Amino acid sequence: MNPKPNIVDLPVYKPGKPIEEVKKELGLSEVIKLASNENPYGSSPSAKAAILAELDNLFLYPDGSAAELTAALAAHLNVKPDQIIFGCGSDEIIALIARAFFLPGDETIMADQTFSVYKSNADIEGAVTIEVPLAEGTHDLKAMLARVTDRTKIIWICNPNNPTGTIVPEDALVTFLDSVPSQVMVVLDEAYCEYVTDLSYSDGVKLLERYPNLVILRTFSKIYGLAALRIGYGVASPQIITLINQVREPFNTTRISQAAALAALQDQEYVQECRRLNSAGIVQLQAEFKRLGLEAFPAHGNFIMVDVRKSAFEVFDSLLKQGIIVRAGHRLYPTYIRVTVGSTEQNKAFVAALELALAGQGVQA
């Protein structure tokens, strides 16, 4: 059996290690996972209630168009319902965009250290990826623009960027969009936008009317705390959404995920509280890194990427033995770990374990 040649050596995405696996592997009773940028405060109580209410309807197929959720989200974003598409996480929207638009040999531009799913989906479709180095952890939009050719099909901008956590300010983004050829799609991934408090940050949805080649990606996995239910969405012109819908499977989101997302969307007080707690957590961790003499990128999502000044894998292993899961293995940042901003107590536990790891004293807790 012969697969597509371009997928044979494609790396498999490696998520953060699951809590259950670490407990079993290391014989630990308590494990704190700060590896996958999940909301440590969970989801809104109203979302949990909506999930329970759907349990009697498990025999029914979901609404393939997610009509009720679409209408509510359109009102929330002040866009039209035909500008929205839902997916099994925003990851699926990325895959659908690649499926709908890439032909073998098309070129796509992205940062050289960003969300890996952009490149993997381009590889699957036979597109050629142009990776442009970050500038101090931030997208270098001028350098990305310089790499545009007549073969460029899509440019990906992760804002805030995963894993560095940096943002592209609105003025720089608008200048960039003004210069991108109209036939080139720009995908602006705003998975962490609800966490951003910096006033220079742009609301990508508000730019859609001005830039018909723009696509916005967002998710209910992060601040809404619904990662397990896998529901995200894209917002774009009706023409682009129609094309993406043509390659979407008919029932790609579940009844439970739609119901929970609808309830979560309607509880914006919970979102605001999670944003406040996350901001306090960033201040807490940044102060501890400063005390330890460690440098970190500015954090605008719910995670921080910090230079531990030694092998990130070594620190990762030490933290793991102490029951703290983080992320390492960033190709261009071998001494950096990415840590999710946890609760106050989780952050304290992480810092205590990190001090031991930096001193070469990581042991089981």
Side-chain angles (χ1 to χ4, degrees):
M1 296 174 64
N2 296 316
K4 296 164 103 174
N6 47 303
I7 74 158
V8 172
D9 297 317
L10 196 66
V12 177
Y13 180 79
K14 294 182 179 180
K17 291 178 74 70
I19 292 174
E20 295 79 8
E21 179 183 324
V22 174
K23 284 183 176 180
K24 183 177 180 181
E25 181 181 318
L26 298 176
L28 298 172
S29 58
E30 296 294 330
V31 171
I32 298 172
K33 184 184 178 188
L34 301 174
S36 300
N37 303 339
E38 295 144 332
N39 186 340
Y41 307 103
S43 57
S44 162
S46 59
K48 296 175 185 177
I51 292 169
L52 292 175
E54 274 299 316
L55 294 182
D56 289 335
N57 295 323
L58 297 185
F59 66 99
L60 295 171
Y61 280 106
D63 174 5
S65 65
E68 186 177 5
L69 178 58
T70 299
L73 182 60
H76 177 70
L77 298 176
N78 194 29
V79 298
K80 297 177 180 178
D82 61 2
Q83 289 183 260
I84 294 172
I85 183 171
F86 284 96
C88 181
S90 55
D91 295 20
E92 187 189 19
I93 308 299
I94 294 168
L96 293 176
I97 290 170
R99 184 189 299 176
F101 290 95
F102 282 138
L103 292 171
D106 282 342
E107 292 181 355
T108 183
I109 299 171
M110 64 193 68
D112 65 351
Q113 191 74 74
T114 192
F115 191 36
S116 63
V117 174
Y118 311 144
K119 185 178 187 306
S120 61
N121 278 284
D123 289 345
I124 290 169
E125 302 301 331
V128 177
T129 297
I130 309 298
E131 295 180 282
V132 177
L134 295 169
E136 298 182 354
T138 302
H139 284 73
D140 188 340
L141 298 184
K142 290 183 180 179
M144 296 176 81
L145 190 62
R147 300 302 301 272
V148 173
T149 72
D150 57 2
R151 302 191 72 172
T152 304
K153 184 68 71 71
I154 299 175
I155 302 173
W156 308 84
I157 299 174
C158 190
N159 198 32
N161 186 46
N162 180 8
T164 58
T166 57
I167 60 171
V168 173
E170 182 171 17
D171 57 352
L173 181 61
V174 167
T175 298
F176 173 77
L177 291 171
D178 282 341
S179 302
V180 173
S182 60
Q183 74 273 14
V184 176
M185 178 184 292
V186 176
V187 178
L188 186 60
D189 188 344
E190 296 184 336
Y192 301 93
C193 67
E194 292 91 354
Y195 283 112
V196 181
T197 59
D198 192 302
L199 296 180
S200 72
Y201 183 72
S202 65
D203 178 349
V205 171
K206 293 181 179 178
L207 299 174
L208 287 171
E209 187 173 352
R210 182 172 171 182
Y211 303 102
N213 58 332
L214 183 63
V215 178
I216 308 300
L217 303 180
R218 292 185 181 176
T219 183
F220 285 92
S221 295
K222 304 304 179 184
I223 205 167
Y224 288 100
L226 298 177
L229 298 186
R230 309 308 303 124
I231 185 161
Y233 59 94
V235 192
S237 70
Q239 293 79 11
I240 289 177
I241 294 300
T242 295
L243 292 170
I244 300 173
N245 255 320
Q246 287 177 318
V247 298
R248 179 181 64 85
E249 300 300 329
F251 300 111
N252 62 328
T253 61
T254 68
R255 292 186 65 94
I256 289 178
S257 64
Q258 290 178 29
L262 178 61
L265 182 68
Q266 294 169 340
D267 190 356
Q268 288 300 310
E269 287 186 11
Y270 186 81
V271 172
Q272 292 171 12
E273 178 64 4
C274 289
R275 182 188 301 114
R276 184 189 69 79
L277 292 169
N278 182 74
S279 295
I282 289 175
V283 171
Q284 177 190 7
L285 287 177
Q286 287 175 330
E288 293 291 351
F289 293 150
K290 183 177 181 180
R291 178 179 65 83
L292 295 171
L294 303 179
E295 294 186 0
F297 287 114
H300 295 282
N302 68 332
F303 56 93
I304 302 180
M305 194 169 178
V306 57
D307 187 355
V308 293
R309 301 178 307 184
K310 60 195 303 184
S311 167
F313 284 117
E314 181 182 330
V315 173
F316 169 86
D317 287 336
S318 177
L319 290 171
L320 195 65
K321 292 174 182 176
Q322 299 177 74
I324 308 290
I325 313 172
V326 297
R327 287 298 291 267
H330 302 100
R331 178 172 52 91
L332 299 177
Y333 297 92
T335 63
Y336 282 73
I337 61 171
R338 192 197 70 189
V339 57
T340 302
V341 178
S343 66
T344 300
E345 293 305 315
Q346 288 175 333
N347 293 339
K348 287 180 179 178
F350 159 69
V351 171
L354 178 63
E355 291 192 76
L356 290 177
L358 296 175
Q361 301 175 23
V363 295
Q364 286 192 9

